[in-house]
Amino acid sequence: MMRVLRPLLVLAGVCAAWELVVRATGVPHYILPGPVRVANALAAQHAFILENAATTLLEMLLGMLLGVACGSVSALLLAQSRAVRRWFLPLVLASQAIPVFAIAPLLVLWLGFGIASKVAAAALIIFFPVTSAFYDGLVRTERGWLDLAHVMGARPAAILLRLRVPAALPALASGIRVAAAVAPIGAVIGEWVGASAGLGFLMLQANAQMQVDLLFAALSVLALFAIAFYAAIDRLLRLLVPWQPVTSDSD
Amino acid sequence: MKTDRSPSVFDVDVRSGGVSYAGAKLFDGLDLHLATGRTMCLLGPSGVGKSTLLRLIAGLVPGEPGTRIEAGDGRPLEGRIAWMAQQDLLCPWLDVRGNVLLGSRLRGEPADAARADALLDAVGLSDKAGAMPATLSGGQRQRAALARTLMEDRPLVLMDEPFGALDTITRWRLQELAATLLAGRTVVLVTHDPREALRIGHEIRVVAGSPARLGAPLRPSGVVPRPLEAPDLLALETRLIGELAGAAA
């Protein structure tokens, strides 16, 4: 009970302080609207906001699917082949060194203003944490299991699929959790650069039209969606990888 | 409780066995005879190289040039060894039955679930076949590991301190169980516990020194698993502890 109540209380406190600051300083609403004004904007335009939120959510979901799929396959290839490691590991590292911000305009140029460029941006940002976490898990299979498999006369393919991959699933799950946390960033960056729908697009539009209360309303929905998205992925991973040791309790 | 399908047992000879690690010789020119169907206990302090000797026989570490490991029947040892380590090495994503069947899964052979269940019954885990390893106690986990080792049905069984992490009573029960179920196979058991060696070893050799040497073989009388109150065990334990203490000094 307190677990749910505590963050709500903190949120209520922050909102109260925010409203107080807005009233006390008399800052104009097009610079900083108070929470009441933001709530009114949210209520008035909820259909419009939700419609755009659905687009962003879809981009995040597809980006996750694509990014996790590509990341997992890359990790498997890297872990299996020395040649792949030598030639492509620097490339994987470089993929992280290039900010998605920098290539988002290119993605829009190549893939258009539609959903594809946002999915690609999200997938790019998701790819690295998934690859590095899964790869790390795959190359750190417990020595004892490999010894046992060796004495048992295991086939190499079976060692990979029945031992190393399942043993690395908790590491992959950690990577996917990080990916779930950064997926909204990728989608919104894509929308900022060029889009016709989505929360990022809505926020830019609202900003340009000095509708800062709408911008804040969209931002709060984005934050809520991002948290719910992470929580859902976390829940799903706990179901799929139940043997993952829980070292810290993340409420 | 007939779980043994009697694979053809053989003796094993390690001749001029040598292993180096990081430039240092762990042992060199070592000869060891493993008698057919007998349990050899290698007793020694930690870090002396007894586990490495076991790994050499298992083919997990390469021997120095000249090292020969020969089965009495002249055929290669590969595929005729079962391995049991101090960690139970149960896969947390498989239930207990799945873990017992790990070998056949890894070799892509059809799984003999009926035999796995019979072995789980033999080690006293018949009600845990569908349980996940995380729900088992330390002793139960090692029982499951013992069932997995027996499932392999190999004539040569190599055990590296398999009961080292268990409490006294659990260890005592598992020693008895292992000695009974492994009867008739050629077994090498590495341990640092003289009493364990005296309880289940047909032959005991102390490993000591650097590079490691094998002490003279000790062959206690009686049938294994020997009861703790067997008359000469205390004297032999004293002698072994003396030998170990001398080696450590």
Side-chain angles (χ1 to χ4, degrees):
Chain A
M1 188 59 201
M2 269 316 278
R3 253 186 51 176
V4 183
L5 216 56
R6 210 175 282 128
L8 286 180
L9 279 174
V10 171
L11 190 66
V14 169
C15 284
W18 175 10
E19 186 70 39
L20 271 177
V21 167
V22 169
R23 294 199 179 195
T25 58
V27 61
H29 65 80
Y30 53 83
I31 301 289
L32 179 66
V36 176
R37 209 185 163 88
V38 171
N40 285 337
L42 188 60
Q45 311 217 41
H46 67 272
F48 181 49
I49 294 174
L50 278 183
E51 196 185 302
N52 284 288
T55 305
T56 304
L57 188 65
L58 182 66
E59 289 161 2
M60 277 155 60
L61 269 176
L62 292 176
M64 275 298 276
L65 283 177
L66 188 66
V68 169
C70 292
S72 304
V73 171
S74 312
L76 278 171
L77 290 174
L78 287 169
Q80 265 316 85
S81 158
R82 201 183 153 83
V84 171
R85 233 173 1 256
R86 280 192 176 161
W87 287 91
F88 291 99
L89 198 54
L91 203 67
V92 172
L93 296 174
S95 86
Q96 180 66 3
I98 301 168
V100 176
F101 264 114
I103 42 176
L106 275 178
L107 293 175
V108 173
L109 180 68
W110 292 336
L111 301 171
F113 283 86
I115 195 170
S117 53
K118 288 79 193 168
V119 171
L124 268 177
I125 210 168
I126 285 161
F127 170 78
F128 185 78
V130 171
T131 306
S132 71
F134 193 30
Y135 172 71
D136 221 45
L138 284 170
V139 296
R140 283 175 213 278
T141 314
E142 195 183 322
R143 186 77 240 162
W145 274 331
L146 297 177
D147 287 346
L148 187 65
H150 181 89
V151 175
M152 281 175 161
R155 294 172 311 152
I159 293 181
L160 179 69
L161 292 177
R162 292 188 181 274
L163 219 50
R164 292 176 67 195
V165 167
L169 285 183
L172 174 63
S174 303
I176 293 178
R177 283 194 182 88
V178 175
V182 298
I185 303 176
V188 169
I189 288 172
E191 289 169 359
W192 280 351
V193 172
S196 50
L199 284 176
F201 162 77
L202 195 157
M203 284 158 70
L204 271 194
Q205 293 288 309
N207 197 23
Q209 295 162 12
M210 301 289 259
Q211 290 177 290
V212 183
D213 48 358
L214 179 60
L215 188 153
F216 270 87
L219 187 62
S220 56
V221 171
L222 178 66
L224 209 66
F225 268 49
I227 293 168
F229 188 70
Y230 180 86
I233 297 277
D234 183 57
R235 194 66 173 269
L236 184 71
L237 290 172
R238 274 168 207 262
L239 282 177
L240 293 178
V241 192
W243 64 89
Q244 168 137 35
V246 179
T247 45
S248 67
D249 195 7
S250 56
D251 299 22
Chain B
M1 171 162 69
K2 187 69 183 167
T3 51
D4 182 354
R5 292 191 302 194
S6 324
S8 56
V9 193
F10 48 83
D11 61 340
V12 178
D13 271 299
V14 178
R15 294 203 175 93
S16 328
V19 172
S20 293
Y21 182 74
K25 282 199 163 87
L26 281 173
F27 46 88
D28 190 24
L30 185 140
D31 295 313
L32 176 67
H33 177 74
L34 307 174
T36 310
R38 298 266 140 174
T39 296
M40 160 74 73
C41 287
L42 296 174
L43 186 65
S46 300
V48 74
K50 53 192 194 302
S51 292
T52 308
L53 177 54
L54 202 67
R55 296 172 67 83
L56 176 72
I57 301 171
L60 292 171
V61 292
E64 294 279 283
T67 299
R68 282 173 301 151
I69 300 162
E70 292 161 352
D73 59 4
R75 288 168 46 214
L77 274 176
E78 209 183 314
R80 297 199 287 168
I81 303 175
W83 174 261
M84 185 168 171
Q86 178 171 2
Q87 319 96 293
D88 50 71
L89 298 175
L90 297 179
C91 297
W93 57 89
L94 298 174
D95 63 11
V96 170
R97 187 188 287 115
N99 269 290
V100 173
L101 291 167
L102 182 70
S104 48
R105 290 169 70 98
L106 288 177
R107 287 185 297 270
E109 294 167 354
D112 187 349
R115 202 172 102 80
D117 286 350
L119 283 168
L120 281 172
D121 195 36
V123 300
L125 284 181
S126 46
D127 57 332
K128 296 285 183 189
M132 298 310 277
T135 65
L136 303 184
S137 69
Q140 288 172 331
R141 293 176 66 102
Q142 211 57 332
R143 280 166 193 266
L146 180 61
R148 182 188 58 205
T149 310
L150 291 164
M151 187 73 201
E152 291 294 285
D153 197 22
R154 302 293 185 227
L156 178 60
V157 179
L158 305 178
M159 306 173 101
D160 189 3
E161 301 192 26
F163 315 124
L166 302 173
D167 64 82
T168 307
I169 301 301
T170 310
R171 192 188 317 153
W172 191 79
R173 292 201 177 118
L174 267 163
Q175 286 164 356
E176 181 153 299
L177 192 62
T180 310
L181 293 174
L182 290 168
R185 294 168 205 266
T186 307
V187 178
V188 185
L189 183 121
V190 161
T191 180
H192 55 245
D193 178 5
R195 190 167 291 181
E196 179 166 289
L198 285 167
R199 199 159 144 65
I200 56 182
H202 293 103
E203 185 174 334
I204 301 166
R205 302 194 71 169
V206 171
V207 189
S210 175
R213 297 252 153 240
L214 294 175
L218 176 70
R219 297 188 183 90
S221 58
V223 182
V224 297
R226 297 186 188 88
L228 282 179
E229 63 276 14
D232 52 343
L233 284 200
L234 193 61
L236 288 174
E237 190 179 352
T238 312
R239 185 180 136 191
L240 283 174
I241 290 175
E243 210 173 322
L244 284 169

